[in-house]
Amino acid sequence: MESYTIGQAARLLGVSVDTARRWADSERFPTRREGTRRMVDGPDLAAFCVQAAQEGAEGEDEAPYTSARNAFPGIVTAVKLGTVDAQVEIQAGPHRIVSLLTREAVEELGLAVGARATARVKSTSVFVDRP
């Protein structure tokens, strides 16, 4: 299971680090300590990303979420595996992206709820890669 620092969580949520800290302090999502660092477990962050997007949550430094060259970095919020195909949902800031790809690709990339992933969009095709 992947874990994220508050700074990484803030980038995935599309908000400032201060906002992510305040949300963690108010127990909007759970954190734990690893030495001096506060960590968020991937599945917990994924669940919060979906909740925040549904609530229309926005950061204090309100700036439009944009992509460079149609790349949407985010966190995997759902994976549905079929016999041959798969459906992967990624929450990239306020954007929910759904991609249909092969089961083999999902397994090779190690995509699971809570994993970081980037959806790359070209025309009607979405390619998913992992850092």
Side-chain angles (χ1 to χ4, degrees):
M1 169 176 49
E2 286 197 49
S3 295
Y4 302 95
T5 64
I6 291 292
Q8 291 170 324
R11 280 191 296 282
L12 292 169
L13 290 164
V15 299
S16 70
V17 175
D18 288 336
T19 297
R21 281 192 190 112
R22 278 193 294 278
W23 286 350
D25 290 344
S26 65
E27 299 180 357
R28 290 195 63 192
F29 58 85
T31 61
R32 59 183 166 72
R33 289 267 181 206
E34 274 187 18
T36 60
R37 301 175 104 184
R38 290 173 71 179
M39 304 297 291
V40 183
D41 290 330
D44 292 332
L45 184 58
F48 179 73
C49 283
V50 171
Q51 175 190 344
Q54 289 172 347
E55 292 172 358
E58 296 176 349
E60 291 175 353
D61 303 324
E62 193 173 331
Y65 188 84
T66 62
S67 65
R69 297 186 180 171
N70 300 320
F72 295 86
I75 187 167
V76 176
T77 57
V79 176
K80 296 176 188 167
L81 296 174
T83 306
V84 176
D85 60 346
Q87 177 179 313
V88 176
E89 293 183 23
I90 297 172
Q91 192 70 43
H95 308 289
R96 175 179 167 261
I97 300 164
V98 180
S99 177
L100 301 177
L101 55 162
T102 65
R103 180 185 181 120
E104 180 180 10
V106 169
E107 291 169 350
E108 284 179 9
L109 291 169
L111 296 175
V113 172
R116 278 184 292 175
T118 300
R120 299 194 186 276
V121 181
K122 172 85 173 152
S123 186
T124 58
S125 299
V126 177
F127 301 89
V128 176
D129 59 27
R130 194 165 166 199

